[in-house]
Amino acid sequence: MRSICLYFQVHQPFRLRTYRFFNIGAEHNYFDDFQNRQIIKRVADKCYLPANKMMLDLIKEYGSAFKVTFSISGTAIEQLQQHAPEVIQGFQKLARTGCVEFLAETYAHSLASQGNSEEFIDQVKQHSDTIEQLFGKRPKTFRNTELIYSDAIGEMVADMGFNTMITEGAKHILGWKSPNYMYCNSRNPKLKLLLRNNRLSDDIAFRFSTVEWPEWPLTAEKFTGWLNAIESREEVVNVFIDYETIGERQWKETGIFDFFKALPKSVMSNSDFRFATPSELTDVLQPVAQMHVPFPISWADEERDLTSWLGNELQDEAFSKLYSLNDKIRKISDPSILKDWNYLQTSDHFYYMCTKWFSHGTVYKYFNPYPSPYEAFINYMNVLSDFMIRVDNALLMEAAIAPAPKAVRKKAAEKAPKTVRTKPKTTTGTLVEEEHVVKSSKILSAKKVAEKSAKATVKAPKEKATEKLFSSLNVEDIITLSDAKVKKIIKSMEIETVSAAMKGAKKEVREKVEKNLGKRALKTYHELLKQIKTIHESEIKKSRKLFEKQIKALIK
Amino acid sequence: MRVLMFGWEFPPHITGGLGTACFGLVKGLTKQGVEVIFVVPKAYGDESKEGFRLVNASDMVMDFTNVKYQEHWNRIKFLEIGSNLIPYVGPEDFERLKEEEKLQVTSEGQSVFSERYQFSGKYGINLMEEVSRYALVASVIAQQNTYDVIHAHDWLTYPAGIAAKKISGKPLVVHVHATEFDRSGENVNQTVYNLEREGMEEADLVITVSHLTRQIVIERYGIDPEKVITVHNAVEPVDRPEFNEVRKHLKEKVVTFLGRVTFQKGPDYFIEAAYKVLQKDPDVRFVMAGSGDLLNKMIRRAAQLHIGTKFHFTGFLKGAEVDTMFALSDVYVMPSVSEPFGISPLEAMRSNVPVVISKQSGVSEVLKHALKVDFWDIDALADAIYGLLHYEGLKKMFIRYGKEEVDNLKWDNAAGEVLAVYNQAQTLVH
């Protein structure tokens, strides 16, 4: 008995709206809601709904003899939930039959496996959570975006606890070998690999309605005949295609629905092939060999590599800029930023920047909202520029809230109600209260907070007597102060001022300051110290003065 | 094959793209083994003449007692009417030209009926007179030479082409580099329009420099689509390494508009886009190189927008100045409202300068590695400029593919297509 595995990919990206450079810093809605809604509704009507119904009917008719597998990207799930919830309900119905397996993938249908392993793992987890929550079962089989696979990716996936992964049966990897067996990862043989039979898959996905194709029209009987022609020792035929093939890319009029309706009966009665899901195959099949894939492969185009998404200057710049944000993002909790971070990673954005089509002259395989890759790039970079600003601002916010000493925050909180009504009288009061007002309103960034408080101090009434009293005070005196006080002083100033004031200071003084800096501030501080030589002497004097003023204000 | 070709200008004495295009085409044809007799109204003696004959119409001696010429003159002399037409020339230039011509005419005292007529070969106030005289001279040249095809470039030479065809019976190909609609918008000069249409009607085949122009020829001049063929222009592959050494003295990036400052070139859209970019990024300089009837208005507009310190006017540039300007530029913009072809973006790309061009230009039909916007879409134009200035990947792509693309737009290929048109024209006549 041999097996055929039918697996369908369901994916829709959040497409970007036309976002001009003058929107940067001003507008943060990046997505073309109207177009996205229209497309998801259209595809639901033409494909998802009727195809789901067809699958359910087939399962009702043939019982557990008919099996089918899906992977639905997180961005597709969100859009379906919003605009076509009946499609999700349809998938849930299918899940309840027990004849359907749902796979794991990256939540955003992203290229994170190429960008950042930490992010990759997070996204897979996020997607598995979503699938488990919706369909009641945690996926055990993994498919990466566009079936991208390499030895390293496989190893990561195995480490995450998956026992099976599906990928492309790329000719340049397999050579004389057949895709119709179970293989395994070369670094961790526990991870089993199912390979896409690209000839039979593409016959349906791309050639089905091509009248010039000598095999046109393709019928279930003909397809079964091809299955029978496969050498009898070969164990499994994997037909992996986009779900949108049914009804959207191959219109209903081409007979695509009739083909799938007739397929189970034809296969079951005229061949020794039986339908199976990846998990079932993993239980019964043993790997025949390791597969060595040092460089990533995918299911795309003739090349079966990543050149549709990465490799040209546009894609590489956009991609590296995007993933350069990874470390910052990890410190941010703002849900709107995390959401956009997800959506911006979707592989389609990079696909639109592909320039291969210029030389090939072939039409885009998928719907492309841009007239040329250049427009796609500019639009994406405009959005990304704004996103980067937001990330930096959010970081400052987090930094402003997080490392501030509890005492100060508490004190400020107590004083807050007063601030609204009464005008502050003392210098210290001004400092703390202003800071709090700004924080609670969450409008100004931490940088501005620091500027403001610094200004407030400078503007403070200059009492000659006090000046005299403290005239002997200098930066070095902070050694005598408590850590909490030092923190407070530092917090009231720009990090640039602090760094400049530290030039030529004694070792003990520097250490005192350094141990009271936040993690992020410390990093900036060290960077600034490196450039200290370029700073003008007068600036340093000014910084020291400001520093001293803050000390005096506090002691007073 | 031998071709009798009528042009109006030839490098280095040019005012626009026409002379440059003729030169490239003639060189390409010569390489294909075609013999070219190129007739210009006035030759200066310093034109490059590799492998073809340049005939100076000003040297032709005509005997007006000859009855045949008189008949011919009677047929074409209506052209004298409405001779105040000066295309391609700005108001200051017009004044200067008028003064010059007054001087010339009075000193030489020449008339259209003198034996030798000194053509100015410019687009001055006696243009119509020159056009008709040129046609007359053409009939003499047509009689004195043997050739297989007649090829006339733009309306100024159509009467000459028609005259030559009447005399020799050889097939006539007219080449439309621009139409009156491109030059004047909807306010067409009726005399010029009539001349253009007559030329196209009399021609056995019409060559247009773009599909855009082909459409105008078919729709606005009512020419049979069957006989209108598009042959896109090309550009001379010239490597001028010395311009790579041009020192930039400005730290800001430079965005350039280069061309006549007239309605059809869309200079106003350039200024408005510049304003938008400067609002976001003040570290950019914009240059408007060229002159024309809208120049003063543009200067006023730049002042109104308070972008005077970032927006610069150079006046008319030529020769090496143009190359220097390209070498200094980071982005080249051609926001033409109507551009039959537009060769300057190709020159910019040849100098590794990325370009933004309007979709309403013929050149956008052949370029892939250029940003294309609707001329009226100032937001899109500004966005394209901003993108090119700020996103490194774009610039890299343009440098990698742009130059290669332009280098593949060879006059040799265009000449091959023109040769095919000649062959077709010959079969039509026989």
Side-chain angles (χ1 to χ4, degrees):
Chain A
M1 189 104 80
R2 304 191 277 170
S3 304
I4 174 169
C5 176
L6 275 186
Y7 147 68
F8 298 102
Q9 174 63 33
V10 180
H11 168 60
Q12 292 298 331
F14 281 93
R15 292 162 203 86
L16 298 171
R17 70 177 175 102
T18 301
Y19 188 91
R20 303 291 187 204
F21 73 94
F22 33 79
N23 302 137
I24 299 172
E27 287 171 39
H28 315 306
N29 52 329
Y30 304 145
F31 303 97
D32 192 337
D33 299 336
F34 178 74
Q35 191 192 41
N36 288 329
R37 187 176 64 227
Q38 256 194 336
I39 291 175
I40 199 93
K41 284 193 154 178
R42 190 190 70 213
V43 182
D45 284 343
K46 288 175 74 177
C47 162
Y48 301 148
L49 288 172
N52 275 355
K53 186 179 177 298
M54 175 179 76
M55 295 299 173
L56 197 64
D57 289 347
L58 287 173
I59 290 172
K60 275 181 190 157
E61 190 172 349
Y62 299 102
S64 59
F66 182 68
K67 300 278 170 59
V68 62
T69 303
F70 291 102
S71 183
I72 317 174
S73 73
T75 52
I77 289 175
E78 280 189 38
Q79 295 189 70
L80 287 169
Q81 281 174 331
Q82 261 185 308
H83 305 299
E86 60 279 23
V87 174
I88 298 288
Q89 288 153 18
F91 280 123
Q92 284 171 329
K93 262 188 208 163
L94 283 168
R96 283 195 289 272
T97 63
C99 297
V100 177
E101 180 176 353
F102 288 91
L103 309 185
E105 64 171 299
T106 52
Y107 187 86
H109 200 264
S110 73
L111 304 169
S113 61
Q114 307 311 114
N116 184 288
S117 54
E118 216 178 352
E119 175 63 21
F120 176 65
I121 291 166
D122 277 5
Q123 275 199 26
V124 174
K125 213 173 272 166
Q126 193 187 352
H127 185 259
S128 290
D129 290 347
T130 310
I131 295 299
E132 187 178 8
Q133 189 227 324
L134 280 176
F135 305 114
K137 215 171 175 185
R138 201 163 183 85
K140 283 195 152 165
T141 306
F142 182 75
R143 68 84 69 181
N144 198 12
T145 307
E146 312 293 345
L147 298 195
I148 291 168
Y149 176 82
S150 71
D151 294 337
I153 296 171
E155 195 182 19
M156 265 198 292
V157 170
D159 287 347
M160 285 157 70
F162 291 100
N163 56 21
T164 317
M165 183 165 169
I166 63 176
T167 182
E168 173 67 29
K171 262 244 160 58
H172 68 276
I173 297 295
L174 285 172
W176 54 268
K177 287 181 260 177
S178 158
N180 305 330
Y181 289 101
M182 178 76 87
Y183 290 82
C184 67
N185 179 266
S186 64
R187 295 189 191 174
N188 187 344
K190 276 186 191 156
L191 184 80
K192 293 182 175 178
L193 298 174
L194 283 169
L195 308 187
R196 176 174 177 264
N197 183 314
N198 52 52
R199 195 181 70 84
L200 290 177
S201 301
D202 289 347
D203 281 344
I204 301 173
F206 301 120
R207 292 183 277 272
F208 186 80
S209 61
T210 310
V211 182
E212 298 79 29
W213 183 38
E215 301 296 344
W216 186 86
L218 178 60
T219 59
E221 290 70 38
K222 196 182 269 181
F223 195 82
T224 311
W226 290 341
L227 288 177
N228 282 325
I230 290 170
E231 208 178 318
S232 59
R233 280 178 311 171
E234 301 191 0
E235 297 167 314
V236 56
V237 171
N238 297 307
V239 175
F240 299 164
I241 60 178
D242 286 324
Y243 204 28
E244 294 82 14
T245 303
I246 309 175
E248 167 71 11
R249 247 164 264 153
Q250 307 289 352
W251 293 355
K252 185 171 169 247
E253 291 73 21
T254 64
I256 190 81
F257 283 94
D258 302 328
F259 171 82
F260 276 105
K261 273 178 201 161
L263 192 65
K265 193 178 180 188
S266 172
V267 168
M268 284 185 252
S269 49
N270 298 319
S271 80
D272 62 339
F273 279 88
R274 294 297 172 262
F275 291 92
T277 65
S279 292
E280 291 172 334
L281 291 169
T282 299
D283 290 343
V284 295
L285 295 180
Q286 287 308 311
V288 292
Q290 295 186 344
M291 198 162 90
H292 290 271
V293 189
F295 304 108
I297 55 170
S298 83
W299 71 354
D301 313 315
E302 284 307 302
E303 298 89 343
R304 313 281 182 206
D305 61 11
L306 300 195
T307 50
S308 287
W309 301 276
L310 295 173
N312 77 26
E313 284 85 346
L314 307 178
Q315 295 163 325
D316 288 350
E317 183 180 357
F319 191 76
S320 64
K321 283 260 161 69
L322 176 69
Y323 281 100
S324 74
L325 295 175
N326 183 65
D327 291 346
K328 292 181 180 174
I329 294 281
R330 284 180 191 280
K331 300 194 185 95
I332 292 173
S333 51
D334 182 342
S336 75
I337 288 191
L338 296 178
K339 200 171 177 177
D340 289 347
W341 163 247
N342 241 334
Y343 297 170
L344 288 176
Q345 290 183 63
T346 302
S347 66
D348 302 61
H349 302 306
F350 300 95
Y351 187 82
Y352 303 146
M353 299 176 203
C354 178
T355 42
K356 279 203 298 190
W357 320 111
F358 275 154
S359 45
H360 285 204
T362 39
V363 275
Y364 289 99
K365 204 163 77 182
Y366 303 104
F367 172 76
N368 183 343
Y370 299 99
S372 91
Y374 297 122
E375 274 90 356
F377 174 75
I378 291 182
N379 206 50
Y380 186 83
M381 292 305 281
N382 286 346
V383 167
L384 192 56
S385 302
D386 181 76
F387 185 66
M388 288 168 103
I389 296 171
R390 280 171 65 205
V391 166
D392 284 338
N393 284 343
L395 260 186
L396 286 166
M397 284 291 283
E398 307 257 344
I401 296 162
K406 270 180 196 160
V408 179
R409 291 174 77 188
K410 209 174 161 190
K411 203 173 158 192
E414 280 162 13
K415 284 199 177 182
K418 256 192 242 165
T419 329
V420 186
R421 281 173 233 112
T422 60
K423 273 195 172 179
K425 278 165 198 158
T426 62
T427 330
T428 15
T430 316
L431 198 149
V432 178
E433 279 159 14
E434 273 224 32
E435 204 175 335
H436 179 77
V437 169
V438 170
K439 264 183 206 165
S440 56
S441 68
K442 287 200 180 187
I443 293 166
L444 293 178
S445 68
K447 199 176 162 188
K448 281 186 182 154
V449 174
E451 272 171 15
K452 267 211 159 172
S453 39
K455 258 186 210 158
T457 327
V458 175
K459 277 181 199 160
K462 286 176 189 170
E463 289 166 49
K464 274 186 183 171
T466 331
E467 284 287 312
K468 250 185 189 171
L469 194 69
F470 293 112
S471 59
S472 59
L473 247 174
N474 66 35
V475 174
E476 322 261 294
D477 290 318
I478 58 161
I479 315 174
T480 61
L481 298 176
S482 71
D483 281 356
K485 276 184 178 160
V486 174
K487 266 185 190 149
K488 196 169 169 186
I489 293 167
I490 294 170
K491 268 228 60 66
S492 66
M493 283 180 295
E494 298 260 26
I495 185 71
E496 284 84 354
T497 315
V498 178
S499 317
M502 282 303 106
K503 195 194 175 184
K506 280 184 198 151
K507 203 181 158 203
E508 307 93 78
V509 181
R510 283 203 200 184
E511 277 169 357
K512 182 89 180 175
V513 167
E514 280 162 23
K515 80 174 180 192
N516 285 305
L517 281 169
K519 214 177 177 185
R520 210 187 65 86
L522 193 63
K523 205 177 153 197
T524 327
Y525 167 84
H526 281 300
E527 272 166 21
L528 285 166
L529 277 191
K530 278 180 209 155
Q531 308 159 14
I532 202 102
K533 274 181 196 154
T534 60
I535 296 173
H536 203 266
E537 194 59 37
S538 68
E539 275 298 315
I540 289 176
K541 269 189 190 150
K542 231 161 92 190
S543 302
R544 275 175 160 261
K545 267 204 179 132
L546 197 63
F547 204 112
E548 281 157 20
K549 221 169 229 169
Q550 298 286 4
I551 301 172
K552 285 167 196 168
L554 194 81
I555 293 173
K556 195 177 105 188
Chain B
M1 177 172 299
R2 185 182 271 190
V3 181
L4 178 62
M5 200 178 274
F6 294 103
W8 197 256
E9 53 177 38
F10 211 73
H13 307 281
I14 56 166
T15 56
L18 179 59
T20 318
C22 288
F23 182 55
L25 179 62
V26 168
K27 268 175 66 174
L29 282 170
T30 313
K31 269 197 204 162
Q32 305 259 352
V34 177
E35 275 183 68
V36 180
I37 309 165
F38 198 93
V39 186
V40 285
K42 182 182 174 81
Y44 292 82
D46 55 352
E47 291 87 354
S48 141
K49 285 171 273 199
E50 303 158 32
F52 63 94
R53 251 178 77 202
L54 192 72
V55 176
N56 185 355
S58 301
D59 287 345
M60 297 303 298
V61 180
M62 304 209 38
D63 178 7
F64 276 95
T65 53
N66 187 325
V67 181
K68 205 157 97 198
Y69 293 146
Q70 276 176 351
E71 268 171 28
H72 195 68
W73 181 250
N74 288 338
R75 210 182 64 77
I76 57 177
K77 73 176 171 186
F78 70 90
L79 298 180
E80 283 176 283
I81 315 154
S83 57
N84 271 354
L85 173 95
I86 305 202
Y88 293 13
V89 178
E92 311 92 349
D93 295 329
F94 177 77
E95 287 305 319
R96 191 169 45 77
L97 267 171
K98 230 164 65 178
E99 287 309 308
E100 269 174 24
E101 265 178 50
K102 261 187 209 156
L103 281 174
Q104 266 183 19
V105 173
T106 44
S107 61
E108 285 174 24
Q110 69 173 350
S111 103
V112 137
F113 295 106
S114 57
E115 280 198 347
R116 240 178 235 255
Y117 181 79
Q118 201 62 38
F119 287 96
S120 73
K122 299 218 171 86
Y123 303 92
I125 45 172
N126 290 325
L127 189 60
M128 282 302 176
E129 193 179 284
E130 292 201 4
V131 167
S132 34
R133 170 75 191 205
Y134 185 58
L136 200 58
V137 174
S139 51
V140 181
I141 296 167
Q143 216 168 30
Q144 290 173 353
N145 290 279
T146 53
Y147 43 86
D148 307 295
V149 176
I150 306 156
H151 188 159
H153 293 280
D154 263 4
W155 69 273
L156 296 146
T157 73
Y158 292 170
I162 296 167
K165 183 184 175 175
K166 287 266 149 65
I167 297 236
S168 65
K170 297 291 180 188
L172 169 66
V173 174
V174 303
H175 202 135
V176 186
H177 295 263
T179 67
E180 183 58 12
F181 294 98
D182 302 310
R183 285 182 295 262
S184 315
E186 290 304 312
N187 309 314
V188 295
N189 180 306
Q190 197 57 39
T191 317
V192 174
Y193 174 82
N194 290 345
L195 271 180
E196 285 181 328
R197 202 179 58 194
E198 194 191 351
M200 295 172 199
E201 279 168 353
E202 293 287 326
D204 298 281
L205 287 173
V206 179
I207 295 176
T208 53
V209 293
S210 63
H211 299 309
L212 195 79
T213 306
R214 182 171 182 272
Q215 223 39 49
I216 295 175
V217 164
I218 293 165
E219 283 167 12
R220 310 298 285 263
Y221 294 82
I223 305 300
D224 176 10
E226 291 270 303
K227 68 180 230 185
V228 192
I229 299 153
T230 298
V231 177
H232 287 112
N233 276 344
V235 69
E236 285 281 293
V238 192
D239 262 324
R240 299 201 193 82
E242 69 266 26
F243 286 105
N244 295 340
E245 304 299 311
V246 172
R247 274 272 305 280
K248 289 185 84 168
H249 296 288
L250 296 169
K251 65 175 176 16
E252 294 99 336
K253 298 211 169 171
V254 175
V255 182
T256 305
F257 168 103
L258 197 150
R260 282 176 292 114
V261 186
T262 57
F263 157 79
Q264 78 181 98
K265 298 285 181 185
D268 31 353
Y269 301 102
F270 181 69
I271 292 199
E272 301 303 327
Y275 178 65
K276 292 216 167 199
V277 174
L278 284 169
Q279 298 230 297
K280 192 88 192 172
D281 179 4
D283 290 331
V284 188
R285 285 180 192 273
F286 289 84
V287 176
M288 184 168 280
S291 91
D293 55 5
L294 285 186
L295 185 59
N296 291 341
K297 195 179 157 200
M298 293 304 114
I299 295 171
R300 270 203 308 279
R301 182 65 185 146
Q304 240 172 38
L305 293 169
H306 299 293
I307 52 174
T309 56
K310 298 286 180 182
F311 199 103
H312 312 282
F313 296 89
T314 66
F316 180 74
L317 300 182
K318 63 177 180 183
E321 292 169 343
V322 173
D323 292 301
T324 310
M325 193 63 241
F326 281 137
L328 288 174
S329 302
D330 294 282
V331 176
Y332 178 75
V333 182
M334 188 184 76
S336 299
V337 173
S338 163
E339 187 75 62
F341 189 77
I343 222 159
S344 61
L346 303 182
E347 292 172 337
M349 287 166 79
R350 206 172 56 185
S351 312
N352 284 329
V353 182
V355 300
V356 185
I357 56 179
S358 76
K359 288 179 186 166
Q360 288 71 24
S361 68
V363 73
S364 73
E365 293 166 16
V366 294
L367 282 184
K368 283 180 198 149
H369 300 283
L371 289 169
K372 300 169 194 177
V373 298
D374 286 307
F375 71 85
W376 43 261
D377 194 348
I378 293 163
D379 284 358
L381 179 59
D383 203 40
I385 294 170
Y386 184 89
L388 282 169
L389 292 175
H390 289 82
Y391 308 135
E392 273 302 306
L394 260 190
K395 201 171 177 181
K396 282 189 212 155
M397 283 295 278
F398 274 108
I399 288 174
R400 186 166 134 196
Y401 293 113
K403 193 164 190 322
E404 185 187 315
E405 182 173 35
V406 172
D407 287 346
N408 283 328
L409 293 173
K410 291 195 176 78
W411 274 115
D412 294 358
N413 303 339
E417 292 171 44
V418 170
L419 187 56
V421 173
Y422 291 164
N423 288 330
Q424 193 188 338
Q426 277 186 303
T427 60
L428 287 174
V429 170
H430 293 136

